[in-house]
Amino acid sequence: MGVPNNLRYTDEHVWVKVEGDHARVGVTDFAQSELGDIVFIELPEKGTFIEADEPFGSVESVKTVSELYAPVSGKVLEVNKELDDRPELVNESPFDKAWIIVVEPTEMSEVEKLMSAEEYKKIVSEDE
């Protein structure tokens, strides 16, 4: 299971990659493996304001439907529309091709409060 060191993580199994003053967001390798085959992703609209720790979309797999919880508050700048036609990318490439949204955080300090890769690995090992 991959846990890249250059990302920040939430206990809801969402990752954040800081890109200048923006944050790219996706679901972790652990999350996609627990969910199983992804068949649908509900994405927010570009321009939507999301609130940290609040749902901003959902992921549907053959097993279940799970809410996606925002890691930070901010405005959605980009949405990965490729996931509309190819939700299975979340299973195939959770950290690269299957990013979900790009957000302009209202407070970059929220990102700094997220877990490091080492902290996230401890949470995941407890859940396994």
Side-chain angles (χ1 to χ4, degrees):
M1 180 192 63
V3 181
N5 288 327
N6 64 325
L7 306 177
R8 304 296 285 186
Y9 300 88
T10 72
D11 56 5
E12 295 290 340
H13 309 290
V14 170
W15 59 261
V16 173
K17 180 179 183 185
V18 175
E19 298 175 337
D21 58 355
H22 300 146
R24 190 169 300 268
V25 176
V27 297
T28 66
D29 194 19
F30 176 79
Q32 71 78 23
S33 68
E34 291 291 302
L35 288 167
D37 293 337
I38 307 295
V39 295
F40 179 75
I41 299 179
E42 180 184 52
L43 302 168
E45 293 293 320
K46 184 177 174 181
T48 303
F49 185 84
I50 60 173
E51 192 73 43
D53 302 320
E54 295 295 323
F56 70 89
S58 62
V59 177
E60 184 177 332
S61 71
V62 293
K63 294 181 186 178
T64 188
V65 176
S66 293
E67 299 267 33
L68 293 169
Y69 289 89
V72 296
S73 299
K75 182 180 176 182
V76 176
L77 300 176
E78 285 183 64
V79 176
N80 189 348
K81 290 295 188 185
E82 190 171 2
L83 298 177
D84 287 341
D85 296 327
R86 298 193 55 211
E88 69 276 6
L89 283 175
V90 173
N91 298 113
E92 297 167 9
S93 183
F95 297 111
D96 295 313
K97 295 179 183 169
W99 58 273
I100 296 174
I101 58 174
V102 174
V103 179
E104 181 178 31
T106 51
E107 293 290 331
M108 282 305 275
S109 62
E110 285 183 334
V111 174
E112 295 162 15
K113 294 176 186 171
L114 301 176
M115 286 184 270
S116 68
E118 287 305 312
E119 292 167 322
Y120 181 69
K121 286 176 190 174
K122 289 177 188 170
I123 297 286
V124 171
S125 66
E126 292 169 5
D127 287 350
E128 289 183 312

